[in-house]
Amino acid sequence: MPVKGLGPYDANNIFARILRGEIPSRKVFENEWALAFHDINPQAPVHVLVIPKRPCVSFADFAAVAEEAEIAGFMRAVGVVARELGLEEPGYRLLANMGEHAGQEVAHFHVHIFGGRPLGPMLARGTT
Ligand code: 5GP
């Protein structure tokens, strides 16, 4: 079910529980700002999620409230993860779903990293 992407943070959302180590994940990276782990339902040969440590519902929330150091730390972490996954040379796609129209399902801000094959058009065609 898509979430609103705005509003109060639910400390029991699935990614909050992964951050606390209550639910296992296939971790690929962690530092002060971010945690990265493989998506449980991959949509490409490489499909990794990067989440900030700060509890934020969505991109809109994170962009509005995070400190500069958190934003920089998070963005750098996304770059490091993609590089460490070997995706820089072939290329990769970043995606962040925000709210209902984007189909955001987990209300903790996350960036998807997709790679490992040509990824096709940016959005499904013929549906404008
Ligand atoms: P969204 O639609 O919110 O942008 O993406 C949520 C993503 O989280 C989906 O790609 C989904 O497969 C992934 N996901 C949902 N639950 C879990 C989980 O328990 N573990 C992992 N690793 N990924 C999850």
Side-chain angles (χ1 to χ4, degrees):
M1 275 289 286
V3 296
K4 290 281 185 194
L6 297 170
Y9 183 81
D10 172 9
N12 283 319
N13 77 73
I14 199 94
F15 292 171
R17 298 184 67 198
I18 285 174
L19 268 176
R20 290 196 297 269
E22 295 169 6
I23 292 177
S25 67
R26 289 174 56 217
K27 182 164 83 173
V28 296
F29 176 90
E30 183 169 15
N31 72 3
E32 175 182 4
W33 310 109
L35 174 69
F37 51 91
H38 291 278
D39 196 290
I40 203 167
N41 183 24
Q43 306 294 311
V46 179
H47 183 175
V48 163
L49 302 169
V50 190
I51 69 175
K53 293 269 173 99
R54 173 186 272 270
C56 280
V57 172
S58 63
F59 172 77
D61 188 16
F62 186 72
V65 305
E67 306 285 345
E68 274 71 2
E70 291 179 300
I71 294 171
F74 178 75
M75 292 300 287
R76 290 215 169 85
V78 173
V80 167
V81 171
R83 185 163 64 244
E84 289 185 351
L85 289 167
L87 298 176
E88 274 191 356
E89 193 276 323
Y92 57 91
R93 179 171 295 157
L94 303 180
L95 182 145
N97 290 316
M98 156 58 207
E100 269 182 303
H101 279 191
Q104 182 182 355
E105 289 187 348
V106 180
H108 181 114
F109 171 47
H110 50 282
V111 168
H112 298 253
I113 302 176
F114 298 104
R117 65 165 167 79
L119 293 163
M122 191 162 51
L123 293 174
R125 292 200 192 283
T127 54
T128 53

